[in-house]
């Protein structure tokens, strides 16, 4: 990363009594980056976001915004804004007044703030909705209003705390596409907190995977998925079969602990391709997923693996109890720490 980062965290620590929620996090986030903090509940990601926003004070360490130390600054003195999962809209206000609220607090005149708020609603494709109340909107529309309200004051950094968590699957997928499009058009830094690995992979330029108050892997979405650094990342980001060093040696004939994604294992009908590791096993279960089927195979060597087969006209059905041969492509084995 070159130049001054949008956000720099140095030795950031937060303790609640005897519990250390964030443990010495160091992180630079670039201007204009869509950055995701991914991890399970209690991993520290939301606490880090709250310290960037100023809602929590760190026990130690610093928060810098475009080179300025804002560690001790209150939230209203930081050029950031936050979108929450629960929207936090004012039910007694119209949609337009909700969006314009931040401008009103800043002393912007009525005519200018109404025009600016309408532009923000247009940005999130809610033209013509300004006179409605939040109760007259769907969940997805309320989320867009919350996004417009956060963007209307033109923050340098937008913080998003699991903003899509309350939406149904279809709406969540639609909002993911729209969020990414808005971020690209505006070019501002988005910092997105989620426990949904698919959401993080879909949206992010880079991902920090959190566990137990620490960043356990940092990289591009593709890097984190294709090359997980630890067993935790391999299992949390997508699904993988993790082989201990002993299992890898006994079953695969390779050295060191490793992981393997289910799409990199094939069930072969006939001769296994050259260069693959060929293993016998018994089908434990098949799970139909629509475009694909997940086949769980118990290898004769004692390890259970998941295989992802695409469903097309040439795919032959596999049934529970079938004896099969699986082919593992060694180039896709990821070495684990």
């Amino acid at each position: 990363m070159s130049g001054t980062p949008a956000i720099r965290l140095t030795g950031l620590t937060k303790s609640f009594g005897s519990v250390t929620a964030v443990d010495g996090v160091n992180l630079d986030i670039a201007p204009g980056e869509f950055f995701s903090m991914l991890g399970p509940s209690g991993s520290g990601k939301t606490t880090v976001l709250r310290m960037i926003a100023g809602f929590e004070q760190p026990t130690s360490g610093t928060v810098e915004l475009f080179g300025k130390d804002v560690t001790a600054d209150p939230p209203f003195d930081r050029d950031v804004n936050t979108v929450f999962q629960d929207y936090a809209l004012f039910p007694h206000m119209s949609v337009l007044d909700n969006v314009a609220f931040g401008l009103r607090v800043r002393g912007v005149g009525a005519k200018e703030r109404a025009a600016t708020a309408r532009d923000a609603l247009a940005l999130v494709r809610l033209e013509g909705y300004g006179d409605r109340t939040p109760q007259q909107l769907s969940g997805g529309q309320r989320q867009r209003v919350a996004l417009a309200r956060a963007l209307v004051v033109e923050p340098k950094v937008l913080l998003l705390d699991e903003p899509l968590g309350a939406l149904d699957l279809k709406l969540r997928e639609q909002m993911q596409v729209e969020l990414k499009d808005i971020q690209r058009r505006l070019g501002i830094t988005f910092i997105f907190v989620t426990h949904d690995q698919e959401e993080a992979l879909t949206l992010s330029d880079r991902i920090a995977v959190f566990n137990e108050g620490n960043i356990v892997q940092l990289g591009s979405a593709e890097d984190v998925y294709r090359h997980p650094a630890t067993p935790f990342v391999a299992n949390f980001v997508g699904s993988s079969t993790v082989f201990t060093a002993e299992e890898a040696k006994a079953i695969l004939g390779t050295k060191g602990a490793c992981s393997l994604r289910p799409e990199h294992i094939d069930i072969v009908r006939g001769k296994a391709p050259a260069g693959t590791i060929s293993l016998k096993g018994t089908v434990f279960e098949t799970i139909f997923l629509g475009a694909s089927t997940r086949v769980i195979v118990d290898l004769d060597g004692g390890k259970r693996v998941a295989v992802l087969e695409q469903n097309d006209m040439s795919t032959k059905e596999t049934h529970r109890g079938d004896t099969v041969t699986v082919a593992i492509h060694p180039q896709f084995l990821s070495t684990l720490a």
Side-chain angles (χ1 to χ4, degrees), residues 214-266:
N214 292 286
I215 295 174
V216 291
Q217 187 164 356
L218 174 64
S220 69
E222 183 175 350
D223 223 23
V224 169
Y225 183 80
R226 293 190 182 280
H227 307 291
T230 67
F232 171 81
V233 177
N235 282 315
F236 187 76
V237 182
S239 61
S240 293
T241 299
V242 174
F243 296 86
T244 64
E246 293 77 13
E247 289 170 336
K249 182 178 180 180
I251 299 170
L252 305 176
T254 59
K255 290 183 179 180
C258 60
S259 68
L260 187 64
R261 298 292 186 190
E263 62 268 29
H264 296 144
I265 309 175
D266 295 326

Side-chain angles (χ1 to χ4, degrees), residues 104-175:
R104 190 173 117 193
V105 170
R106 285 163 174 77
V108 177
K111 188 174 179 180
E112 182 184 348
R113 71 174 181 254
T116 307
R118 279 193 287 271
D119 289 343
L121 285 172
L123 179 69
V124 297
R125 297 184 176 87
L126 285 178
E127 303 96 325
Y129 285 76
D131 292 334
R132 300 191 188 188
T133 63
Q135 292 91 330
Q136 294 173 309
L137 303 180
S138 68
Q141 289 168 337
R142 288 196 295 272
Q143 184 60 77
R144 292 186 201 188
V145 173
L147 183 61
R149 184 180 61 182
L151 291 170
V152 75
V153 295
E154 300 181 345
K156 289 183 178 179
V157 176
L158 186 67
L159 309 175
L160 302 109
D161 187 8
E162 307 214 30
L164 310 182
L167 304 180
D168 62 52
L169 177 61
K170 279 289 183 186
L171 201 49
R172 195 160 68 243
E173 289 175 346
Q174 178 186 339
M175 282 301 298

Side-chain angles (χ1 to χ4, degrees), residues 4-6 8 63-71 73 77-78:
T4 303
R8 168 165 286 169
V63 178
E64 292 180 29
L65 175 64
F66 287 92
K68 179 190 175 188
D69 188 338
V70 297
T71 311
D73 291 354
D77 279 344
R78 304 186 187 202

Side-chain angles (χ1 to χ4, degrees), residues 174-205:
Q174 178 186 339
M175 282 301 298
Q176 287 170 8
V177 173
E178 294 195 11
L179 264 181
K180 187 68 174 175
D181 177 60
I182 289 168
Q183 190 268 339
R184 282 176 172 158
R185 281 189 279 147
L186 293 177
I188 68 174
T189 306
F190 276 30
I191 303 178
F192 190 88
V193 162
T194 182
H195 63 270
D196 185 325
Q197 49 87 16
E198 190 172 312
E199 196 164 77
L201 293 172
T202 299
L203 291 168
S204 311
D205 297 317

